[in-house]
Every structure is written in structure tokens, then in C-alpha cells.
Amino acid sequence: MATIYGGVETGGTWCVCALGSGPGELLAEEQFPTASPPETLERIIDFFRAQPTPAAIGVGSFGPVDADPDSPSWGQVTTTPKPGWQRTAVASVIRDRLGVPVAFDTDVNAAALGEHRWGAGREVGSLCYLTVGTGIGAGLVIGGRPLRGLVHPEVGHLRIPHDRQRDPFPGSCPVHGDCWEGLAAGPALAARWNTRPEELPDDHPAWALEADYLAAGIVNIVLVVSPGRIIVGGGVLDHPPMIALTRRRVTELLAGYLETPLLGADIGSYIVPPALGDDAGVLGAIALARMLGSASSS
Amino acid sequence: MATIYGGVETGGTWCVCALGSGPGELLAEEQFPTASPPETLERIIDFFRAQPTPAAIGVGSFGPVDADPDSPSWGQVTTTPKPGWQRTAVASVIRDRLGVPVAFDTDVNAAALGEHRWGAGREVGSLCYLTVGTGIGAGLVIGGRPLRGLVHPEVGHLRIPHDRQRDPFPGSCPVHGDCWEGLAAGPALAARWNTRPEELPDDHPAWALEADYLAAGIVNIVLVVSPGRIIVGGGVLDHPPMIALTRRRVTELLAGYLETPLLGADIGSYIVPPALGDDAGVLGAIALARMLGSASSS
């Protein structure tokens, strides 16, 4: 029988726990709202206590996080604006209460790894997993591993052009105002147009402006890290016209400078939806746990 | 005796050739202006023909280039605006005329590798080498290797905020207008202020504006790829007040969101000048050649 691993995705809104070895091989899965830290951690621990003990657990958390295994604050959520979650120990609590090894990374790095291992990025050497919803986040897999460095990717706060004449909305990021997520995440759309984004009709100018902003950030990701594929999801990008509009604007903005069909006629094969759907994060967390197993046995 | 390698840096302005095994161990070095492709390639070949044959040659070229070893156009400069150099075969000509294995990458990826191996980035897991001069370019080393993906980093064309009220200059990039290098490379400074940048006094408002633009692009690199260190050079950044001004603006723009002293009080240890000076590129090209040797023997 395949070794059993645990996966936990603590997203900003939902928390997902799963036990198994990969897609189609889950023995149990549970989803609940991300509440206060003690309440959420208790439910995670309860989930695993009711199951056979996994060889390791992977945790993908909303960020910013400290994912440096050598840091004293490894496994914590750090400066998040999410109320009550600043400086919350997550990974060490799960490890200590359940007595199993725990791997820890951002939720989007986990999702990127899941899509790379089992989903829409199986054939590419590097990929970016981008989600645009209540915030904007991206995970990167390079050389088969989630990218960490000084910290980890935190693309929501990219600086992009903001044409204040066309769009006088000042931006909704509490820290940076008109950074990428301040202009283009769901709350920015809602505040700018004073309605729930899903109620804006497809021909509303909101969507063309949104595509301009999303394309500017995606172009920046392409120009810095040149991922082999970009996998895009989240509530805003799931809105029907958005992927097509965004692809077109990315091509227009790059203006043929990088000479590859994947940034021109074939951009539909470059900017693609996830294959694992809502399970990308928790499956990626299982992939993180599997990687921990193979790293410690090597 | 140490194995001897060749290094070639074909920069936009200067071409450097060297023979040896690393810093302090160069048997020969020559520098000449980058002229037309046939003239430049001939001088490179003449340089190596006058020397003992190296085990391999590394070439770092201005870009965009095709550095994918599996591509039919591997080793070419592709869509460069540099007159006469579009679609120029560089690496294959050197390989075929000299009969030695050739490794090929961008000039800035080579410089990043050189600084990582022997210079200002020896202790860090990943780094960005950024140069701001006649253009803006960056190389990245991640996991010990120069980063390539769909193409390679091409940060000069990042989209950054452009406050047209404060700075009505439309930007000087022939492809994108007010992209990063269109606003902040040497030619943009010269055109905006109608003088050679080195003649602008230190207290001229040009430098504060320049620091704002440089910081916006650096912040974007930090937020996408989170390098362990950023090594900055090139004619514009070498101007005395620029590094200090830029460091301060990076810290202000991030506003403490990423909680590490290296993006706050200790930013002087994060954004640093190169240790190899003008030799970073050609030494990095030697490092590329050494890597080719170790890859083919493994």
C-alpha cells in the first residue's frame, strides 16, 4: 500500500485537510472556514486524530509566512493583515501535538507544487500558480521545488502602473494602497464599483480595466522569472471573460519583445486554468509532505 | 594544473574575452568594443586561437537570447534592438570554429553566476544581479544555477508606476515606451534632462526620481522571486548617491510588509555592489563553462 501523508491548506477563507497519497487516492478530506487560530488548529488536529497516522504532514498557509527551516520562527504566519493571525505558530503546533514531521510553505507554493506534480504543469520545468480572489498570491516551482529565498513570492504587492485619470480609485491595500492587489483583487473591484464583482455584467468596463491590471502583473512575473507556464485561478479570474481578456492584454503589453508563440498566438497554452481545481492546495500540501519524506531519507 | 576554460562576455557596448580558471587565475584577457557580428566574432576567435585550447568556453551575451540547449536556434541573439544583431548565431559559431564545447546564457545570468561563485553572493542560496546602464538587465541564480525558463529574465521591460504629472517624459523604450528601462536606464535620463547623466549634480531632482523608479523595479523583483541578495551595478547605479537613495526607497515602498531586517535596517547588506567589478560577466562565463564540464562528466 502507498505511504499515507497528510495535507493541510490553511487559506485566508477556508481550511482544507486531507489524508492520502495523491489525487484519486484520498482516504479522507474535510473543509471548514478558517476561524481564529486556536479554533482552526484544534479542528485540524481533530481531523488527523480520527485517522490513521500519516508518515508526514504538509501545510500550505496563507502568508506572509516564515518557511525557513533554520529560522526560530519557522512555521509561523508573520505579518498578515488577517485579524488574530499575526505571529501565529502553525506548523510547530501540528508537529508537536500529532508527533509527525511537518513540511511548511505558503498555500500558493503548495498549490504550485500540486499542479506541477499532478495537474496542469506536469510537463514544464518551472511554473507559476497565480490566484486572484480576496487577495493576489502566487507560488513558483523551479527545478521541481517550491521557490523560497529571502522570504517567498509575495506578488500581491507588486507595483504596477495606475492611471489615476482613467481609474481614480486609490487602491484598497491597507499597507500599500495601489499595489497589484490594492487595484485588482476582489475587494478592490467591489469598492471601486460599489457592488459585488460577480454582479457586474460581462460588458461592464470593470472587466477591461481588471484585465489591464492583471496583465501588468503577469507580464512582470514573466519578465522576472520566465516561468514555463502560468496557472491562473481564484474567484476573479474564474469570471468567464477574464482569462481570455487577460491573455490578450499580456500579449499586447509584451508587444512581441519575447519571441515565443507561447506569448503570442499560443498564449492559450501558456496561461491556463488549474487542473486540480480547489484541491490544488491540499494536494500540493501532500506533495510537500512527500518531499519531506524523500529529503530526510536521502 | 587547474583545467583551463574560456569566457566571453558580449555586452551591448564592450566584448570581453578571458582564459583561465577563475579570479586571480586568468592567463589572458582582452576587451574591445562590440562592433558588427562578423567583426566581433572574428576578434573572439582570434583571441582564443592565440591561446592554449580551453576545455570549454562559456558565453554570456546581451539579449534577448535563445539559451535553450534543445532549441534549433540555441546560441542566438534573437529580437534585440541592437542594429545588425537580430537573429545572430553566436555560440554555435564559436563552438564550430574553435571545436570546443560552448555554454551559452545571457550576460547578466553569467555575471550573476560569477558573483555567486566568487563574488558578493557566495553565502546566499539565490541572488539577483542587476545592472542599470544603457539598458536594465538582471540575471538570477537559484539553486546554484542561472535561471532560465520559458525564456530568461528580461526585467528591463517591467511595468512600473509612471506618474506623468510629476514626470511627463514619455519613456524611451522603442518597444514599450515607459517600461522600466524606458523610464530609468541611462538613455532615458539623458533624454529627460537633456544632458549626459554624469553631468547632473548630486542634488538634482533627477536622482530622487531615478531612485523611485529603480526602487519600484527592485521591489517587483523582490516580490516575485525573493532573492537572497541583490547585487547592483552599471553606469547609472555607480553614480555616488544612487545606491543609498535606492535602498531607502525600497524600504519605504515595502513599508515593512516583509518582515526581515534585510529589507529594513540591514538593507545595506541586501542591496550591495558587485565584488568582481567589471569582470563579473567574463568570470561568470568561465563559471558557465566549468558547469558545462561538470554536467557532461556526470
Side-chain angles (χ1 to χ4, degrees):
Chain A
M1 207 183 92
T3 310
I4 291 172
Y5 297 92
V8 180
E9 180 192 8
T10 53
T13 313
W14 290 94
C15 184
V16 190
C17 298
L19 193 80
S21 53
E25 292 169 343
L26 294 186
L27 309 179
E29 186 170 8
E30 194 181 327
Q31 177 167 332
F32 43 87
T34 304
S36 72
E39 203 178 333
T40 308
L41 286 165
E42 212 53 48
R43 286 198 72 165
I44 293 168
I45 286 154
D46 287 348
F47 170 85
F48 285 107
R49 286 214 167 127
Q51 310 289 342
T53 305
I57 295 176
V59 179
S61 170
F62 68 88
V65 302
D66 184 344
D68 174 2
D70 298 327
S71 162
S73 54
W74 169 82
Q76 291 186 11
V77 174
T78 58
T79 52
T80 179
K82 191 171 169 67
W85 281 84
Q86 292 86 357
R87 267 164 260 280
T88 296
V90 175
S92 59
V93 173
I94 297 173
R95 179 194 61 196
D96 296 346
R97 299 268 310 269
L98 293 170
V100 295
V102 169
F104 184 70
D105 213 316
T106 62
D107 50 355
V108 277
N109 259 352
L113 186 64
E115 290 288 341
H116 185 254
R117 179 153 192 149
W118 293 302
R122 271 170 298 179
E123 326 79 66
V124 293
S126 62
L127 68 81
C128 173
Y129 176 94
L130 174 69
T131 175
V132 181
T134 51
I136 299 183
L140 289 164
V141 170
I142 293 176
R145 307 192 74 84
L147 179 77
R148 293 196 298 264
L150 180 65
V151 190
H152 50 70
E154 195 61 54
V155 301
H157 304 274
L158 284 173
R159 296 285 163 167
I160 61 163
H162 177 198
D163 180 346
R164 286 174 184 270
Q165 287 209 295
R166 177 180 173 204
D167 174 30
F169 178 68
S172 61
C173 173
V175 186
H176 306 110
D178 63 349
C179 62
W180 196 17
E181 79 175 35
L183 290 172
L189 268 168
R192 179 185 292 114
W193 304 105
N194 201 23
T195 182
R196 298 196 309 150
E198 53 273 36
E199 284 169 9
L200 291 163
D202 284 1
D203 59 354
H204 193 283
W207 299 115
L209 182 68
E210 180 69 10
D212 282 0
Y213 288 142
L214 293 183
I218 290 173
V219 157
N220 284 353
I221 293 170
V222 169
L223 292 169
V224 173
V225 82
S226 203
R229 189 166 294 160
I230 298 185
I231 298 170
V232 294
V236 173
L237 268 160
D238 287 348
H239 186 80
M242 279 315 297
I243 287 197
L245 278 176
T246 303
R247 285 177 181 142
R248 192 187 320 149
R249 286 298 291 146
V250 167
T251 299
E252 288 167 2
L253 274 178
L254 285 169
Y257 186 73
L258 295 172
E259 198 177 41
T260 155
L262 288 172
L263 295 171
D266 298 344
I267 198 162
S269 312
Y270 183 68
I271 298 179
V272 302
L276 304 178
D278 291 342
D279 276 345
V282 76
L283 287 169
I286 287 176
L288 277 175
R290 293 175 68 123
M291 208 170 243
L292 188 70
S294 61
S296 61
S297 67
S298 71
Chain B
M1 205 183 93
T3 309
I4 291 172
Y5 297 92
V8 180
E9 181 191 7
T10 53
T13 311
W14 290 94
C15 184
V16 191
C17 298
L19 193 81
S21 52
E25 294 170 341
L26 295 187
L27 309 180
E29 187 169 9
E30 193 182 327
Q31 177 168 330
F32 43 86
T34 304
S36 72
E39 203 177 334
T40 308
L41 287 165
E42 212 54 47
R43 286 198 73 164
I44 294 168
I45 287 155
D46 286 350
F47 170 85
F48 285 107
R49 285 215 169 128
Q51 309 290 342
T53 305
I57 295 175
V59 178
S61 170
F62 67 88
V65 302
D66 184 343
D68 174 3
D70 299 326
S71 160
S73 55
W74 169 83
Q76 291 187 11
V77 174
T78 58
T79 51
T80 178
K82 191 171 169 66
W85 280 84
Q86 292 85 0
R87 265 163 263 281
T88 296
V90 175
S92 60
V93 173
I94 297 173
R95 179 193 61 195
D96 295 346
R97 299 268 310 269
L98 293 170
V100 296
V102 169
F104 184 69
D105 214 316
T106 61
D107 49 358
V108 276
N109 260 351
L113 186 64
E115 290 287 343
H116 186 254
R117 179 153 191 150
W118 292 303
R122 270 170 299 180
E123 327 77 67
V124 293
S126 62
L127 68 81
C128 173
Y129 176 95
L130 174 70
T131 174
V132 181
T134 53
I136 299 184
L140 289 165
V141 169
I142 293 175
R145 306 191 73 84
L147 179 76
R148 293 196 299 264
L150 180 65
V151 190
H152 50 71
E154 194 62 52
V155 301
H157 304 274
L158 284 173
R159 296 285 164 167
I160 62 162
H162 176 197
D163 181 345
R164 287 173 184 271
Q165 287 209 296
R166 177 180 173 206
D167 174 30
F169 178 66
S172 62
C173 173
V175 186
H176 306 111
D178 63 349
C179 62
W180 197 18
E181 78 175 35
L183 290 173
L189 269 168
R192 179 185 293 114
W193 304 105
N194 201 24
T195 184
R196 298 196 310 150
E198 52 273 37
E199 287 172 7
L200 292 163
D202 285 1
D203 59 353
H204 192 283
W207 299 116
L209 182 67
E210 180 69 10
D212 282 0
Y213 287 142
L214 293 184
I218 290 172
V219 158
N220 284 352
I221 293 170
V222 170
L223 292 169
V224 173
V225 81
S226 203
R229 188 166 295 162
I230 299 185
I231 298 170
V232 296
V236 172
L237 270 160
D238 288 347
H239 187 79
M242 280 314 298
I243 286 196
L245 279 175
T246 302
R247 284 177 181 141
R248 190 186 322 147
R249 286 298 290 145
V250 166
T251 299
E252 287 167 5
L253 273 178
L254 286 169
Y257 186 73
L258 295 173
E259 198 177 43
T260 155
L262 288 172
L263 295 171
D266 297 344
I267 197 162
S269 312
Y270 183 67
I271 297 179
V272 302
L276 303 178
D278 291 342
D279 275 346
V282 75
L283 287 169
I286 287 176
L288 277 175
R290 294 175 68 122
M291 207 170 244
L292 189 69
S294 62
S296 61
S297 67
S298 70

